[in-house]
Amino acid sequence: MRESDIHINRVDWIAVSIYFLLVTIGWFNIYAAVYDSQVEKSIFDFSINSGKQLVWIGTAIALITLIMVADFRFFENLSLIIYGIFLILLILTPFIGKEVNGQILSIGFGDFRIQPGEFAKFATALALAKVMERPTFDLSKGKFQAIAFGVLMLPVLLILLQPDTGTAMVYFSLLLMFYREGLPQWYYMLGIGFVAITLLALGIENNLYLAIAILGLMGILIFLGKKSWQRIIAFSLIGIGLIAYIYSIDFVVSKLPEHQQNRIMVLFNPDIDPLGVGWNVTQSKIAIGSGGLLGKGYLEGTQTKFDFVPEQHTDFIFCTLGEEFGWVGSLIVIGLFTGLLYRLVVMAERQKNRFSRIYGYCVISILLFHFMINIAMTIGLFPVVGIPLPFFSYGGSSLWSFTVLLFIFIKFDSSRASQLGRIN
């Protein structure tokens, strides 16, 4: 039997099927989000978003075909070159890109434009897999931590210059892969602690109370432990540092663009401006809640039909699903995403070499982050940061980048028998 036949037989058709189900359901929901009963254009009409999305779906299938017929070694051997190309595109974006709403995210010619920040996700995943594939690469050691974090942070810093905080945040999801590969747990404990302190500092109106609580906690830790000048000095410095940090948060937030400041305000006080900065989230929650158990029916959503939710075909596509298909429809789609993620974990753990496993966990991390944050945005549990729902939201760059990200891993998985004997 030829090697190509073996690869076809080893394709994980469960993951492929879930992908096409999500893309198809997403396409129908994009049509619902732009449907106008007064005009009643066909879902195939190229003048509306559903027709344009169909073109993106067709080209995504072409990308899938190219990936699956290519040699799996192609992506591994050129991983650092691909990474370098997208770093260059990220550098060029602020200079040659198109500005939309104060952000310069896309480059291209005429109507054909791509967002390098979206495609740099799979490039960064490939680069991390490449630099970390050696058996001697140990994330418990500082030298290797510096290398891994360096590869991760380069695109993050370049994306922040655009500025695109939402996309930059996605890259930190790769810390989940770092955990799988042995990054010490204290990094995550420290990170969770800083996140908690940041949320408290943003949510508490008077930071003096938080500062007093931190001083009290440090005092308790000093009192309960062994008395020594070193301990007293260490915990005192930690307390002073934390207090300085919480008071610096207001300064940092004040330097953010106004729309990002508003999104943070709405998270902690959803009713602060329901007709202004809180409009999107308020209307999204109304749309989802009004769907009830079974929904209002396809193309029957009133919140959707009368354009109450801005950007409903992109970042807020999930509320279309919730309104028209209700709790049951939402649960089915969440189940599909969960099933895909579970399948990817199974695939990652059965890889025959470290490169493929690391890349697989990068895919899992990115998809999980997008899935969780996008839905959390639509129900008001997270600030609106412009993160699309994978395979669902409208847009060529989004669909293409997620498709390439996923199917490179599916290609690696289908070729795992050919990887026997390589370095693990």
Side-chain angles (χ1 to χ4, degrees), residues 120-346:
K121 295 171 189 174
F122 87 85
T124 304
L126 285 172
L128 283 169
K130 187 63 178 178
V131 301
M132 295 173 61
E133 70 172 343
R134 299 190 311 274
T136 55
F137 196 98
D138 186 356
L139 273 179
S140 67
K141 298 179 180 178
K143 170 187 173 182
F144 298 108
Q145 292 170 10
I147 294 172
F149 277 105
V151 173
L152 174 64
M153 290 305 297
L154 271 176
V156 170
L157 295 175
L158 293 173
I159 291 169
L160 287 174
L161 293 176
Q162 297 179 2
D164 186 4
T165 308
T167 300
M169 288 174 57
V170 175
Y171 287 78
F172 289 104
S173 68
L174 296 173
L175 292 174
L176 177 62
M177 178 275 291
F178 283 14
Y179 181 80
R180 170 61 179 83
E181 296 303 319
L183 187 68
Q185 292 185 4
W186 68 265
Y187 275 93
Y188 299 91
M189 296 174 63
L190 185 64
I192 292 171
F194 269 105
V195 169
I197 290 173
T198 302
L199 292 175
L200 286 171
L202 291 170
I204 297 176
E205 188 171 346
N206 190 340
N207 284 335
L208 176 61
Y209 300 124
L210 184 57
I212 293 173
I214 289 173
L215 286 176
L217 177 62
M218 293 301 108
I220 292 172
L221 292 174
I222 291 172
F223 178 78
L224 292 178
K226 182 180 179 181
K227 306 298 185 296
S228 67
W229 285 108
Q230 293 90 339
R231 185 181 182 87
I232 293 172
I233 292 173
F235 278 105
S236 297
L237 290 175
I238 291 173
I240 293 170
L242 289 174
I243 292 171
Y245 172 71
I246 63 173
Y247 277 101
S248 70
I249 290 174
D250 288 337
F251 173 78
V252 173
V253 171
S254 68
K255 298 301 180 181
L256 293 174
E258 184 177 358
H259 69 280
Q260 293 182 356
Q261 295 183 43
N262 291 336
R263 289 169 178 174
I264 293 173
M265 290 167 53
V266 169
L267 175 66
F268 292 97
N269 189 356
D271 300 322
I272 191 171
D273 187 8
L275 299 180
V277 297
W279 177 264
N280 283 27
V281 174
T282 300
Q283 297 303 317
S284 175
K285 290 193 290 186
I286 290 173
I288 294 172
S290 66
L293 180 64
L294 298 175
K296 299 175 181 177
Y298 187 55
L299 304 182
E300 298 299 326
T302 52
Q303 294 291 112
T304 297
K305 190 179 298 183
F306 296 110
D307 296 326
F308 279 102
V309 185
E311 305 300 329
Q312 192 162 350
H313 59 295
T314 54
D315 299 341
F316 284 87
I317 190 69
F318 186 77
C319 71
T320 305
L321 176 75
E323 182 180 21
E324 298 193 345
F325 294 97
W327 183 83
V328 172
S330 301
L331 184 63
I332 290 172
V333 169
I334 290 173
L336 287 172
F337 273 109
T338 304
L340 177 61
L341 290 167
Y342 171 76
R343 195 67 201 163
L344 292 175
V345 171
V346 172

Side-chain angles (χ1 to χ4, degrees), residues 390-408:
F391 318 122
F392 241 73
S393 295
Y394 169 78
S397 289
S398 171
L399 179 61
W400 288 357
S401 63
F402 286 125
T403 299
V404 171
L405 178 76
L406 174 63
F407 276 88
I408 287 177

Side-chain angles (χ1 to χ4, degrees), residues 336-407:
L336 287 172
F337 273 109
T338 304
L340 177 61
L341 290 167
Y342 171 76
R343 195 67 201 163
L344 292 175
V345 171
V346 172
M347 292 162 62
E349 288 298 328
R350 71 187 182 194
Q351 295 310 298
K352 305 301 182 181
N353 67 83
R354 196 177 184 190
F355 178 90
S356 299
R357 186 183 72 233
I358 291 172
Y359 181 80
Y361 271 99
C362 288
V363 176
I364 295 163
S365 302
I366 293 170
L367 292 180
L368 176 64
F369 185 87
H370 270 272
F371 164 62
M372 293 181 61
I373 298 302
N374 179 272
I375 294 179
M377 282 178 4
T378 63
I379 59 178
L381 295 180
F382 198 85
V384 179
V385 289
I387 290 180
L389 186 61
F391 318 122
F392 241 73
S393 295
Y394 169 78
S397 289
S398 171
L399 179 61
W400 288 357
S401 63
F402 286 125
T403 299
V404 171
L405 178 76
L406 174 63
F407 276 88

Side-chain angles (χ1 to χ4, degrees), residues 24-34 298 317 320-321 325 392:
T24 302
I25 297 171
W27 178 52
F28 279 104
N29 275 273
I30 289 169
Y31 178 62
V34 299
Y298 187 55
I317 190 69
T320 305
L321 176 75
F325 294 97
F392 241 73

